[in-house]
Amino acid sequence: MRLDLAGKAVLVTGAASGIGLACVRAFQAEGARVAALDLAPVDDVVAVQADVTDERSVAAAVGVVAERFGGLDVVVGCAGISGPVGTGAAETSAAEFAAVLAVNVTGQFLVVKHAAPWLTASQGSVVLLASDSAFTSAPGMVPYCASKGAVVAMTRALAVDLPGVRVNCVCPSVVDTPMSRGDLGDVLDDPAFPVQAPEDVASHVLYLASARSRTVNGQAVLADYGVSARSGFPA
Ligand SMILES: NC(=O)c1ccc[n+]([C@@H]2O[C@H](COP(=O)([O-])OP(=O)(O)OC[C@H]3O[C@@H](n4cnc5c(N)ncnc54)[C@H](O)[C@@H]3O)[C@@H](O)[C@H]2O)c1
């Protein structure tokens, strides 16, 4: 399938690691012009260092990229944190809860807010990283699940709020990245545990960013090997 992304101006947040970095490399392979926004620098690409929770920094970073490219066609929001995974709700502080929402929800909002004028001009598209954690949970994941449920709802609201701009999100199950390694460790190496690669997610992101998905808007694409489709019925 031809994605026709060559020459498109793409901004990826959370681009220094994991899924964001895989998206950067996949867009580059399609010939897109890619900018990477992260706390950390990224090599071989237009890199802007910013904290997505800081509105001034986000506004400045998005402005620098849009001016450099003469516009923006695609924004991919990957910046995210997992927070106190493994800590029960009773032991989770308000500050820990707020910190997760600040990056995973407010951070996504701020990037789209400041890219919106450019995306409206180009009739562009946004792809946000939500998670299967918007729909399912394990013990000790309350802040993260709350944040990802909010990303799914915000995706629908943004799709309605930004005429001409398509906004979708992807909801992968566990992906082998520094984030999941830090939270789950060697469980990821168990062949019985279905883990996906960052490149699997990048494929979905590129499809949703491209005109091949022009009729898809306000949707959450759940990619979990079908695990959540299975009933608890003992059969
Ligand atoms: N790894 C998984 O299993 C998995 C599954 C589903 C969804 N996701 C989501 O995918 C996205 C990427 O996750 P990942 O696994 O690649 O994580 P990662 O930790 O490998 O990469 C996250 C990147 O976000 C950046 N970042 C964090 N806070 C930031 C901030 N305030 N401002 C700017 N950049 C910031 C980090 O510096 C890092 O480069 C996240 O939103 C995550 O919730 C991950």
Side-chain angles (χ1 to χ4, degrees), residues 159-175:
V160 171
D161 206 65
L162 299 175
V165 181
R166 288 189 308 114
V167 185
N168 293 290
C169 66
V170 291
C171 301
S173 57
V174 173
V175 185

Side-chain angles (χ1 to χ4, degrees), residues 2-15:
R2 279 183 45 189
L3 294 174
D4 294 328
L5 290 167
K8 297 290 185 188
V10 179
L11 173 63
V12 180
T13 77

Side-chain angles (χ1 to χ4, degrees), residues 14 16-19 38-39 50-52 78-81 103 129-131 144 148 172-175 177-180:
S17 176
I19 296 166
D38 201 296
L39 296 168
D51 181 338
V52 293
C78 294
I81 58 173
V103 178
L129 257 294
S131 168
Y144 187 73
K148 294 306 182 178
S173 57
V174 173
V175 185
T177 70
M179 175 191 283
S180 55

Side-chain angles (χ1 to χ4, degrees), residues 13-38:
T13 77
S17 176
I19 296 166
L21 186 56
C23 289
V24 167
R25 300 306 179 215
F27 277 109
Q28 286 181 313
E30 293 290 329
R33 296 173 295 153
V34 187
L37 186 158
D38 201 296

